[in-house]
Amino acid sequence: MSYVAGARVVVVGEALVDIVHRADGSVDAAPGGSPANVALTLGRLGRTPHLVTRLGDDSHGRSVRDWLERSSVTVDATHAPRTATATAHLDAAGAATYEFDIDWALGGVSVAGADVLHVGSVAALLGPGADDVSRLIDEVRRSATITYDPNIRPSLLQDPAEARARVASLVRRADVVKASDEDLRWLHPDADLVEVATRWQRSGPAVVVVTTGADGALAVTATGVVGIHAVKTAVVDTVGAGDTFMGALIDGLIHAELTGASQRNALGAVPPSDLEAILRMSAAAAAITVSRPGADPPSRAELATQLSARLPRGPLPPAAAKR
C-alpha cells in the first residue's frame, strides 16, 4: 500500500487512562481516550499528528505521554490537577460501558497551521473545554479540513438537550463526520439512521459516515450512499475500534489528497469507488483493533497485510439498503 505524506494533522481532545473490568473478573489499566486513540492510529499509520490535550504531572500522565510518543504523536498538554480516567466494564461480547473522572479545559491554545483538525467525544461536549474546542474549529475552518466524531458518553452529559444542540453545531461546521449507530440512536431516538445521516450531510459536511458494528458502515454524500460490510474477525473487545476507524478514515482522505480547505469541492465530489476504498481500509484497521485487547491500532504494515486478504463484498449493509 503506497503512502502520501504532507498534511499537518492536529487532534484535540481527551487523553486518559482506561481502567478495564473484563467479563472474567480481571482488571487492567492502559492509556486511552477517544481523540488520543485517533492520534495513536494516525501515528501507527505513519503520520506525525499533534495531540492537544490535558494531562496531570503524575504516573498516569507520564504513561499516556510515553504511549503516544512511542507512536510518533507529538503531545501538547495543558496542566491538569490529575490525569483523567475512564472505567470501562466489558460484557461477555467485549462491548464496553464507561464511567469517567475527567477535568477538561484548554485555555488559550492555538492550532494555527493545521491542514486537518480532528475533534470529538468528551472534549467537544464537556465544559469548560468544549468552548475551547469550538473556538479552535473557528480558528482554522478557512484553511483546514474539520473532522468530527461525536462518540457520545451519556453518563457525562448533564443536559441532553444542550448536548444535542452542541453536536448539531459541530456537525454543521465539520467537513467529515463519523458517528456510530449508537451515537445516532442516542441523539435521534427512533429515527432512521440513513435519514439522520442525510440530514446531517445536508446541513454542512461533505461526508457523513455511520458505523454499524457487525453490519459494516455506510457513508452519505450529496450524490447518495456508499456501504461496506464489516470485516469478519474474532472479537476480543471493542475498545478503540471506532477511534481506529476514524484515524484510518482521516489517513485515507489524506492519501486521496482530499484534505485542506482548498480541496473542499473535491471532497464534496469524491467518487463512490474512492470513498468505498477508504471505508474498506478503515474497516480493516478497526477489525485488527477488535482482534486484540484494548486500543491497539495496527501499523501500516499490518494494515497492508489485512488489505491484501480478500475482504467481504456484496450488497449494502441493512441500514444503507433502506435508502
Side-chain angles (χ1 to χ4, degrees):
M1 183 170 56
S2 59
Y3 173 74
V4 174
R8 182 174 187 264
V9 185
V10 179
V11 178
V12 176
E14 70 272 12
L16 45 77
V17 169
D18 282 318
I19 302 169
V20 180
H21 294 255
R22 300 187 180 278
D24 63 6
S26 63
V27 180
D28 57 69
S34 177
N37 291 337
V38 173
L40 183 76
T41 301
L42 286 159
R44 295 271 180 93
L45 293 177
R47 306 294 167 186
T48 54
H50 288 242
L51 176 68
V52 177
T53 190
R54 183 169 170 84
L55 294 172
D57 185 16
D58 50 25
S59 60
H60 280 340
R62 289 187 289 275
S63 70
V64 169
R65 187 182 291 272
D66 179 65
W67 169 73
L68 289 163
E69 290 177 346
R70 282 188 279 111
S71 290
S72 302
V73 179
T74 299
V75 180
D76 298 317
T78 60
H79 177 71
R82 65 186 181 280
T83 299
T85 59
T87 301
H89 296 269
L90 303 183
D91 62 21
T97 57
Y98 291 89
E99 299 171 1
F100 290 87
D101 177 12
I102 184 169
D103 168 43
W104 176 245
L106 284 176
V109 301
S110 172
V111 295
D115 298 304
V116 179
L117 174 65
H118 175 72
V119 303
S121 197
V122 174
L125 297 180
L126 182 66
D131 290 336
D132 297 324
V133 172
S134 182
R135 173 183 59 79
L136 293 175
I137 291 172
D138 291 339
E139 178 184 29
V140 297
R141 179 74 176 81
R142 291 185 179 180
S143 58
T145 296
I146 309 299
T147 65
Y148 173 51
D149 179 0
N151 199 17
I152 300 295
R153 303 304 189 196
S155 63
L156 279 174
L157 302 178
Q158 304 275 331
D159 185 340
E162 178 185 350
R164 290 183 175 103
R166 191 177 285 271
V167 168
S169 174
L170 292 165
V171 167
R172 285 194 298 271
R173 289 182 287 158
D175 295 294
V176 177
V177 179
K178 193 280 293 181
S180 70
D181 52 352
E182 292 180 350
D183 292 332
L184 293 191
R185 289 189 177 106
W186 187 88
L187 290 163
H188 301 279
D190 303 320
D192 178 80
L193 298 181
V194 177
E195 289 178 2
V196 173
T198 300
R199 287 205 307 272
W200 280 13
Q201 190 277 323
R202 289 173 179 168
S203 76
V207 181
V208 175
V209 176
V210 182
T211 57
T212 58
D215 285 332
L218 60 93
V220 176
T221 69
T223 58
V225 180
V226 174
I228 63 161
H229 289 285
V231 178
K232 292 184 178 180
T233 190
V235 176
V236 173
D237 66 48
T238 62
V239 176
D243 306 323
T244 300
F245 190 106
M246 184 75 245
L249 177 62
I250 294 169
D251 177 80
L253 294 171
I254 295 170
H255 177 79
E257 300 182 344
L258 292 172
T259 56
S262 64
Q263 297 302 308
R264 281 207 171 99
N265 289 340
L267 179 61
V270 57
S273 59
D274 291 356
L275 184 55
E276 180 180 339
I278 293 171
L279 293 178
R280 289 186 182 281
M281 182 187 73
S282 303
I288 295 171
T289 297
V290 303
S291 73
R292 48 203 194 191
D296 186 11
S299 66
R300 185 164 291 277
E302 288 176 309
L303 181 55
T305 298
Q306 175 77 288
L307 288 170
S308 68
R310 185 174 180 179
L311 298 182
R313 295 181 177 272
L316 293 180
K322 295 178 182 177
R323 177 72 170 175

